[in-house]
Amino acid sequence: IRDERKQSILDVDDLKKLDELRVQLLGKKGPVTQALRSMKDLPADERPSFGQFANKVRDDLKNAIDDRNSELQQAALNFKLQHEKIDVTLPGAAVTQGQPHVIQQIVDQLEDLFMGMGYQVLSGPEVEEDKYNFEMMNLPKDHPARDMQDTFYITKEILMRTQTSPMQARTLETHDFSKGPLKMISPGVVYRRDTDDPTHSHQFHQVEGLVIDKHVTMADLKGTLELVAHTLFGDRFDVRLRPSYFPFTEPSVEADITCFNCGGKGCNVCKYTGWIEVLGAGMVHPNVLKMAGVDPTVYGGFAFGLGPDRFAMLKYGVDDIRNFYLNDVRFLTQFAKKG
Ligand code: FA5
């Protein structure tokens, strides 16, 4: 009987049928279980040898089923491998890769440039004290020039910073001049209650720059700004300084660069002047140094605040600043970083 059953196991050629056969042979109603149950009717001296034999038959059948099960599974796998061919020459599915935001790319370039010249790169709080944002920048309460930067106040003394310039006061206050000059840039986001339009956003970026040492001149400022323009836009661009006013610099300037659109000849973009304004700068006001505990008769230097949003607009010919903040990937992926 055992051999006969074994043959029936070998004859099965599909896994489902094999499982049915297993239930039939080894299940509660199967012949082996029945035989073991009927043992109680046998004379006591025959029971051990019968029991042993029945158990052996059960194990043999179980092993045969397990072996057949592995054989069938292997056969199914082989069948699959033979029939499901993979064409490794087909192009793979493209993996979407993220990239730094276009404004971040400009900031990264500036960081590289300034770090190469020994500047520190610092970041400061966006929720700032009135003291640092205005007062220590030579803008006492009720100073009319506060109106130049319409402010989001949180309390009377706390506000969303309107410029990265408070980082000038913060670093001047803590810098140890006995260890060397102060050279830093501080990129970050600033906020103003400006009405959004193609060239203004209520939230935008600035990169502050500050150099304080013993013999810093305006020529150093101009040379530095020229380097910025050439790094971002190429050598054919010139920088022009125009007199301007900021309460924290004296003299103050605004820097223009050659209009990218007309190569300096004049067009709509630059209102036929050949130049575009990109940043504010100047020689740090003695009051700013004094308030931060630095002696203006010994130390002096320059500061600048540039707007990477405007740089990005110029560099890529983007005609509306709001595009940078809409997070439309179709727009943003145009500026994929190469390499
Ligand atoms: C300032 O914020 C001064 N703190 C800059 C400065 C620093 C001067 C150090 C002197 C010394 P201003 O408000 O002009 O200046 O802004 C500087 C730059 O930020 C502008 O040239 C422009 O590029 C950018 N900017 C200003 N307002 C906006 C705005 N609403 N949206 C986008 N960019 C803006």
Side-chain angles (χ1 to χ4, degrees):
I1 285 170
R2 178 176 48 181
D3 293 342
E4 227 172 71
R5 302 289 194 183
K6 265 190 174 170
Q7 191 54 49
S8 71
I9 291 169
L10 291 177
D11 289 344
V12 175
D13 55 8
D14 102 40
L15 283 162
K16 196 161 165 262
K17 282 191 193 133
L18 184 67
D19 197 52
E20 283 165 13
L21 190 58
R22 182 183 60 76
V23 175
Q24 219 181 73
L25 293 179
L26 302 175
K28 274 188 201 142
K29 291 186 185 143
V32 180
T33 316
Q34 296 296 336
L36 283 165
R37 275 204 193 124
S38 67
M39 236 167 52
K40 61 181 188 307
D41 304 329
L42 290 176
D45 58 340
E46 284 179 24
R47 281 183 209 163
S49 58
F50 182 84
Q52 256 176 12
F53 182 70
N55 279 334
K56 175 97 178 54
V57 171
R58 186 190 59 196
D59 292 348
D60 283 356
L61 291 176
K62 187 170 175 304
N63 289 340
I65 289 170
D66 288 350
D67 290 350
R68 185 68 187 143
N69 191 36
S70 317
E71 273 170 29
L72 289 176
Q73 279 194 9
Q74 189 58 46
L77 184 64
N78 287 343
F79 182 83
K80 243 183 158 179
L81 288 174
Q82 262 171 17
H83 289 82
E84 289 179 10
K85 288 213 177 78
I86 296 171
D87 183 352
V88 290
T89 63
L90 284 175
V95 179
T96 337
Q97 205 182 353
Q99 64 182 70
H101 191 281
V102 54
I103 292 175
Q104 188 58 43
Q105 291 180 33
I106 302 261
V107 173
D108 287 346
Q109 258 182 299
L110 290 167
E111 286 186 8
D112 280 353
L113 170 69
F114 281 100
M115 278 195 286
M117 296 192 291
Y119 285 57
Q120 282 176 281
V121 178
L122 303 171
S123 61
E126 289 174 23
V127 179
E128 183 55 284
E129 294 174 40
D130 185 277
K131 176 178 121 184
Y132 289 109
N133 195 80
F134 289 130
E135 280 171 54
M136 290 187 70
M137 297 314 293
N138 206 24
L139 275 149
K141 294 228 161 55
D142 304 323
H143 192 293
R146 283 197 179 206
D147 292 350
M148 286 163 74
Q149 300 178 2
D150 218 348
T151 311
F152 288 113
Y153 278 95
I154 292 173
T155 66
K156 228 166 126 261
E157 299 300 332
I158 308 286
L159 43 78
M160 301 306 290
R161 66 175 176 190
T162 57
Q163 50 183 357
T164 43
S165 298
M167 281 306 284
Q168 288 188 38
R170 283 180 176 274
T171 42
L172 280 168
E173 213 176 41
T174 51
H175 186 74
D176 179 356
F177 282 92
S178 70
K179 300 221 165 95
L182 167 53
K183 290 163 79 180
M184 70 90 179
I185 59 161
S186 185
V189 178
V190 302
Y191 303 83
R192 287 186 200 176
R193 287 179 51 205
D194 284 348
T195 307
D196 290 2
D197 70 21
T199 53
H200 291 85
S201 171
H202 60 280
Q203 173 198 319
F204 59 99
H205 295 73
Q206 281 192 345
V207 178
E208 195 75 12
L210 178 66
V211 173
I212 303 290
D213 199 359
K214 282 186 179 148
H215 305 287
V216 185
T217 70
M218 202 129 180
D220 296 319
L221 170 63
K222 190 169 187 216
T224 307
L225 297 179
E226 269 167 2
L227 204 57
V228 169
H230 293 165
T231 304
L232 290 181
F233 300 103
D235 285 345
R236 62 207 167 93
F237 291 89
D238 286 330
V239 176
R240 174 176 87 164
L241 299 184
R242 254 183 314 106
S244 183
Y245 171 74
F246 296 103
F248 30 90
T249 43
E250 182 59 37
S252 300
V253 292
E254 270 173 330
D256 298 339
I257 66 163
T258 326
C259 178
F260 75 97
N261 234 20
C262 57
K265 288 188 204 75
C267 65
N268 275 338
V269 177
C270 57
K271 302 195 184 80
Y272 293 93
T273 60
W275 299 93
I276 294 176
E277 182 223 309
V278 283
L279 57 85
M283 303 309 287
V284 176
H285 197 292
N287 285 352
V288 172
L289 297 171
K290 245 187 268 170
M291 277 187 274
V294 179
D295 184 352
T297 60
V298 180
Y299 292 101
F302 64 77
F304 59 83
L306 59 84
D309 303 55
R310 299 259 174 94
F311 274 78
M313 289 176 79
L314 285 176
K315 184 161 177 162
Y316 297 110
V318 174
D319 58 9
D320 196 324
I321 195 170
R322 290 168 289 195
N323 286 324
F324 295 130
Y325 297 99
L326 294 176
N327 286 335
D328 183 338
V329 283
R330 289 168 305 179
F331 171 78
L332 293 173
T333 49
Q334 295 177 92
F335 312 100
K337 209 172 165 184
K338 310 250 163 20

